[in-house]
Amino acid sequence: ETVQPETESLILENVVDLRFEFMAETKWDDKWSDTNPPKAIRTTIKLRNYRGQEEVFSITTPVDMAKKS
């Protein structure tokens, strides 16, 4: 069942695409179904700039699940 939010808030305009990818052992995958955490998460966003051109921005975040003391 999908829950609909009571209100919507625009946080970023001109988003063409938003993707999340997960690093398994040696490859990126767009789905994560493993019980272990991924090694990293790559977030890619495609925006349309003020000239109408599409620009792509990507950031890779390592996932460190080591216990901190």
Side-chain angles (χ1 to χ4, degrees):
E1 176 182 343
T2 302
V3 177
Q4 296 297 323
E6 292 183 24
T7 61
E8 293 182 9
S9 298
L10 179 65
I11 58 172
L12 187 60
E13 294 181 340
N14 301 319
V15 175
V16 176
D17 190 35
L18 176 65
R19 295 181 187 262
F20 299 96
E21 297 170 281
F22 308 93
M23 173 59 82
E25 291 301 315
T26 57
K27 68 178 186 98
W28 290 101
D29 197 345
D30 62 353
K31 296 181 184 89
W32 190 256
S33 58
D34 198 336
T35 57
N36 296 317
K39 292 182 176 183
I41 300 171
R42 180 166 55 198
T43 305
T44 304
I45 187 166
K46 185 186 295 186
L47 302 173
R48 183 167 290 110
N49 67 21
Y50 68 96
R51 293 182 177 163
Q53 300 164 327
E54 293 182 359
E55 297 184 69
V56 177
F57 302 90
S58 184
I59 185 168
T60 301
T61 307
V63 175
D64 181 9
M65 296 300 291
K67 290 187 177 182
K68 307 287 185 205
S69 54

